């Protein structure tokens, strides 16, 4: 389940909440009953290690070209 960050436009409160994709976005601040907006940040995907390139899975002795 994804985590979404919300910020209240009125009181400035920031909080995170777990929500399903099918759930509607929150619109009311639970503290002051003000207007909420959903904050969007960077995507947390990082590619590390071998296997990123197609040739990474091959052993070092076999190259794709014939000599």
């Amino acid at each position: 389940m994804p985590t979404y960050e919300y910020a209240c436009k009125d009181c400035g409160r920031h909080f995170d909440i777990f929500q399903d994709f099918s759930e509607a976005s929150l619109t009311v601040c639970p503290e002051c009953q003000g207007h909420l907006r959903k904050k969007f940040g960077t995507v947390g995907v990082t590619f590390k290690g071998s296997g990123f390139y197609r040739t990474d899975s091959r052993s070092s002795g076999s190259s794709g070209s014939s000599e």
Side-chain angles (χ1 to χ4, degrees):
M1 206 175 338
T3 304
Y4 295 102
E5 183 181 359
Y6 287 92
C8 180
K9 293 180 181 179
D10 299 332
C11 70
R13 181 175 183 242
H14 291 259
F15 62 94
D16 296 334
I17 189 165
F18 293 107
Q19 287 184 298
D20 271 338
F21 290 111
S22 60
E23 290 184 53
S25 297
L26 300 179
T27 56
V28 178
C29 177
E31 219 168 279
C32 73
Q33 308 307 313
H35 298 287
L36 284 179
R37 67 182 180 95
K38 190 184 282 189
K39 296 186 73 178
F40 295 96
T42 58
V43 178
V45 177
T46 305
F47 296 102
K48 292 184 177 180
S50 63
F52 187 77
Y53 294 100
R54 185 175 79 169
T55 57
D56 284 348
S57 61
R58 297 180 183 167
S59 64
S60 61
S62 65
S63 63
S65 64
S66 58
E67 295 180 27

